Amino acid sequence: MKLKKLLSIIFISLLVISCSSAPISGRKQLLLVDEAPLIQQSYTQYRQVLNQSVVLNNNDAKTVKKVGNNIAKAVERYFQLHPEERRSNIKYAWEFNLLKDKTPNAWCMPGGKVAVYTGILPYTQNEQGLAVVMSHEIAHAIAQHSREQQSQSMIQNGVGALLGVAFGVPQELYGSASNLIMLNYSRTQETEADELGLIFMKIAGYNPNYALTFWQRMAKASGGNQSPEFLSTHPNDQTRINNIKRFLQSEKFKNISK
């Protein structure tokens, strides 16, 4: 427990020193990794994924592109209204593709490259549901979560080496404590992506309340078979639903103009 408290102090101190804040939410971030090389690397990785996948061009794929472009325009609309909150000077090269894959998943790489798997479509069911998922994934990129995670990993590894050499802290003990802290940061990023996604949905003209319908559907599909929240990278379904309800009723969200 003492080690976990020490690590928490170290990570919080680094966040304060970093003087970076996430767009829109204003949450303190540790950003030690340069953005431009990360984005260029993501473009290369995206092309590799497409080359190794079955990229569809059916009606569902057209809907994916439609929703993606609507959310991307909403992002730009937000930053036109609030230019002081823009954190990236790089123009994103948006791209949206539907890949044939049974995994219920979607993701957005740094720089705006998005993939949606066909396995998520039975859960999204319609354009509104797709907007919930895609706005969430796009929000991860806008909030620079990949860059933040890489920066945190650098610090995690560096602090582990330091504690091992200076204080003889066993790597296994450090790893367990530091991983719990990293999981907590990951859940924070998930909640942040939910909230930013709701904002982008609203600006794009979608119904943000549909996020509750979607996550209730996901909760039902999981049948309550989830890991304990403190051991997970994501909030459990009910926590997520409660957080979304709270944000939808917040003054910040109500004051967002389309």
Side-chain angles (χ1 to χ4, degrees):
M1 184 59 68
K2 289 182 179 179
L3 177 58
K4 187 178 178 181
K5 286 183 178 179
L6 174 61
L7 292 174
S8 296
I9 292 172
I10 292 173
F11 279 107
I12 291 171
S13 299
L14 288 168
L15 285 174
V16 172
I17 294 171
S18 71
C19 296
S20 298
S21 58
I24 306 175
S25 74
R27 179 180 60 84
K28 287 291 183 181
Q29 283 184 306
L30 179 67
L31 298 177
L32 303 177
V33 178
D34 288 339
E35 182 183 23
L38 181 64
I39 288 179
Q40 287 304 315
Q41 182 182 23
S42 77
Y43 289 168
T44 300
Q45 293 173 336
Y46 190 71
R47 297 260 69 84
Q48 292 173 346
V49 170
L50 295 188
N51 289 337
Q52 296 168 5
S53 304
V54 177
V55 182
L56 301 177
N57 191 29
N58 54 18
N59 287 335
D60 287 333
K62 292 176 183 177
T63 303
V64 165
K65 294 181 187 299
K66 174 186 175 183
V67 172
N69 284 313
N70 287 342
I71 299 298
K73 289 176 183 176
V75 171
E76 291 306 313
R77 171 67 175 162
Y78 182 91
F79 288 125
Q80 286 172 0
L81 295 173
H82 308 279
E84 74 283 357
E85 295 186 23
R86 188 186 291 271
R87 297 291 180 266
S88 175
N89 295 319
I90 298 177
K91 184 176 176 60
Y92 281 18
W94 297 104
E95 188 173 349
F96 310 96
N97 283 291
L98 178 64
L99 309 185
K100 187 177 181 179
D101 191 310
K102 294 180 180 180
T103 310
N105 195 23
W107 42 263
C108 179
M109 287 183 167
K113 302 297 186 183
V114 178
V116 176
Y117 293 170
T118 52
I120 197 70
L121 299 183
Y123 300 97
T124 58
Q125 295 189 2
N126 54 43
E127 188 172 330
Q128 293 284 349
L130 200 54
V132 173
V133 171
M134 295 185 71
S135 63
H136 172 91
E137 298 304 331
I138 286 171
H140 275 305
I142 297 302
Q144 303 194 62
H145 287 164
S146 291
R147 186 181 173 198
E148 184 178 17
Q149 288 167 357
Q150 287 196 20
S151 300
Q152 290 170 340
S153 293
M154 289 173 59
I155 295 300
Q156 184 182 24
N157 295 334
V159 172
L162 176 63
L163 291 177
V165 173
F167 302 104
V169 176
Q171 185 61 39
E172 295 80 7
L173 177 60
Y174 167 76
S176 297
S178 63
N179 285 339
L180 288 177
I181 295 172
M182 293 298 99
L183 289 172
N184 183 60
Y185 277 119
S186 180
R187 292 192 297 273
T188 297
Q189 291 171 341
E190 284 297 314
T191 299
E192 186 172 70
D194 282 340
E195 294 178 355
L196 268 60
L198 293 170
I199 290 173
F200 300 149
M201 282 186 71
K202 182 178 182 179
I203 296 174
Y206 292 108
N207 178 13
N209 289 286
Y210 197 83
L212 296 173
T213 301
F214 172 78
W215 285 111
Q216 287 164 352
R217 184 184 300 140
M218 291 294 285
K220 184 177 180 180
S222 72
N225 297 322
Q226 295 181 295
S227 301
E229 186 169 84
F230 75 98
L231 294 176
S232 176
T233 57
H234 291 56
N236 66 42
D237 292 330
Q238 193 56 54
T239 298
R240 189 190 294 267
I241 289 168
N242 291 340
N243 288 341
I244 289 173
K245 285 181 179 178
R246 184 161 46 248
F247 187 70
L248 289 172
Q249 295 302 314
S250 69
E251 289 302 314
K252 179 172 184 175
F253 182 74
K254 290 179 181 179
N255 290 333
I256 296 294
S257 56
K258 296 182 180 180

